[in-house]
Amino acid sequence: MARELSKIINKWVPEKSKVIDFGCGDGTLLKELIDTKSVLGYGVEINDYKIEECIAKGVPVIKQDIDEGLQEFYYLNFDLAIMARSIQCLKGPNVALTRILHLSKRAVVTLPNLGYWRCRLSLASGKMPVTPELPDNWYTTNNIHLCTIKDFEQLCKNENIRIKDKVYLNSNGDSGALASINPNLFAVEGVYLLEKQ
């Protein structure tokens, strides 16, 4: 995970809070939050290899398919849920957002922006984009619901989800001026702090 993205998420996580990280990958972010913010953190991952990496780091993790539901987490009263770079891999991103905000007060969601100018250029040339944020070919990717910044923000509006804060990252992983002025065209990634209205 890019350093700037990690810093943004870290800033939004309260000290000693209870955090659940959906699609936690190898557990790097959660381990950092446990070490720097003294959070009580839990990871949820479906990839067996990544689960082993979490365990090796000492990160509590369970194997769960988010698309299958999150009911077992509803009464655990999380302060914050994180879904970094994985919402576009879900069958029902809108359903997942609603479920996540049912089990936590707030959620951090990050996603690659298909509206980024290089992605548009690839599509205009007749090819699916391959970028550092979307590194796989169309036939090997886990991404099934790619969207633009505008699409995601409209989804939040439709689902009565408040965008409490947001940061748009450029291709250097920074929150540059162009990405802030026209995020749908110049941001490669959107980073959101969400809460239910």
Side-chain angles (χ1 to χ4, degrees):
M1 179 170 295
R3 188 78 215 131
E4 182 68 17
L5 178 57
S6 179
K7 278 173 39 181
I8 294 163
I9 295 172
N10 197 297
K11 181 179 81 171
W12 289 341
V13 175
E15 291 275 346
K16 298 183 179 178
S17 56
K18 193 172 178 184
V19 176
I20 187 164
D21 187 354
F22 292 105
C24 67
D26 67 3
T28 299
L29 174 64
L30 201 48
K31 176 68 172 157
E32 180 183 329
L33 293 173
I34 291 167
D35 292 346
T36 62
K37 293 284 191 126
S38 301
V39 304
L40 180 58
Y42 301 92
V44 178
E45 180 56 56
I46 196 167
N47 181 301
D48 290 327
Y49 177 71
K50 290 179 181 178
I51 289 171
E52 288 175 16
E53 289 182 286
C54 286
I55 293 167
K57 287 181 174 84
V59 173
V61 63
I62 65 164
K63 183 173 183 172
Q64 172 75 31
D65 185 339
I66 299 165
D67 280 319
E68 299 297 317
L70 307 172
Q71 297 83 349
E72 60 269 31
F73 303 111
Y74 280 174
Y75 303 103
L76 298 178
N77 298 316
F78 289 97
D79 299 300
L80 186 78
I82 298 171
M83 184 172 282
R85 298 180 174 174
S86 55
I87 194 164
Q88 73 279 358
C89 301
L90 300 178
K91 293 176 188 168
N94 57 328
V95 174
L97 276 178
T98 301
R99 288 176 177 164
I100 287 168
L101 285 168
H102 181 75
L103 61 87
S104 67
K105 295 176 181 87
R106 290 185 172 172
V108 174
V109 174
T110 78
L111 62 137
N113 175 26
L114 193 64
Y116 178 56
W117 72 269
R118 287 190 177 163
C119 293
R120 293 180 191 212
L121 195 59
S122 289
L123 290 167
S125 71
K127 294 183 176 182
M128 284 297 288
V130 176
T131 67
E133 294 72 32
L134 298 167
D136 299 315
N137 288 305
W138 67 269
Y139 52 87
T140 59
T141 186
N142 290 325
N143 298 316
I144 57 175
H145 285 292
L146 292 169
C147 67
T148 67
I149 295 285
K150 282 186 180 180
D151 289 329
F152 182 76
E153 292 178 3
Q154 184 62 51
L155 171 65
C156 290
K157 186 176 179 181
N158 294 349
E159 298 292 327
N160 292 316
I161 295 169
R162 180 182 297 116
I163 299 174
K164 180 94 174 136
D165 203 352
K166 58 189 170 189
V167 179
Y168 304 115
L169 301 178
N170 62 24
S171 59
N172 295 326
D174 301 318
S175 52
L178 281 177
S180 297
I181 292 168
N182 188 342
N184 209 52
L185 186 60
F186 294 112
V188 297
E189 187 165 16
V191 187
Y192 296 90
L193 179 62
L194 307 174
E195 61 185 18
K196 197 72 175 161
Q197 288 188 9

